[in-house]
Amino acid sequence: MAVYLKRVYDAVSPTDGKRILVDRLWPRGIAKEEATWVQWAKDASPSPQLRKWFAHQVDRFDLFRIRYEEELANDPVKQQIIKQLREDASNGILTLVYAAKNETCNHAIILREWLIDDHRVVEKKS
């Protein structure tokens, strides 16, 4: 499974495969007609409350990770998106695009790890 990360402002490459925006908010400075991704999976991103609390403060990243992973594990909408993203990745290269300036401390990193880590597959039993 090949899942990559890339900022929305970086140049598009033929090696990106299927590009999916994983931010809750539309990236600044990019018109919708200029979008270089095929899908917007905004509901895979952290909840508005968690996103606002985190505010890209590096010292909150560890706790942010825990809270976001709880959302990924427990939100049925996020689970459905994860299932689709894994399917996309199994069919070819998948690149998750995001707008955060910090390339080492953002939600897309956590989401990518969640997608490729088989131990984090959560199946709801009815």
Side-chain angles (χ1 to χ4, degrees):
M1 181 182 299
V3 181
Y4 299 102
L5 297 174
K6 199 168 200 181
R7 290 194 71 225
V8 295
Y9 307 105
D10 293 341
V12 177
S13 168
T15 60
D16 288 349
K18 185 173 186 178
R19 294 167 52 91
I20 298 179
L21 176 64
V22 293
D23 282 351
R24 181 158 302 275
L25 304 176
W26 192 262
R28 291 180 190 207
I30 297 181
K32 291 193 178 183
E33 307 80 46
E34 298 171 359
T36 59
W37 45 87
V38 297
Q39 184 181 343
W40 183 13
K42 66 180 173 181
D43 289 327
S45 66
S47 65
Q49 300 84 357
L50 182 56
R51 181 185 60 79
K52 289 175 185 174
W53 171 82
F54 175 48
H56 297 283
Q57 294 183 28
V58 176
D59 61 321
R60 293 184 178 176
F61 188 69
D62 290 338
L63 185 52
F64 171 74
R65 173 186 293 276
I66 292 167
R67 291 178 178 176
Y68 182 40
E69 287 179 348
E70 287 173 359
E71 289 186 358
L72 292 171
N74 297 309
D75 183 321
V77 173
K78 286 180 178 28
Q79 283 292 302
Q80 187 60 37
I81 294 169
I82 288 166
K83 182 179 176 184
Q84 181 60 52
L85 292 173
R86 282 187 175 134
E87 192 173 305
D88 291 342
S90 70
N91 292 326
I93 298 170
L94 176 64
T95 298
L96 306 177
V97 293
Y98 63 94
K101 291 179 184 176
N102 189 326
E103 296 182 27
T104 61
C105 185
N106 65 67
H107 77 282
I109 293 168
I110 300 165
L111 180 58
R112 177 186 178 272
E113 290 170 0
W114 193 273
L115 289 172
I116 62 177
D117 187 348
D118 289 336
H119 301 294
R120 296 184 184 186
V121 176
V122 177
E123 294 293 331
K124 297 280 183 185
K125 302 213 184 215
S126 358

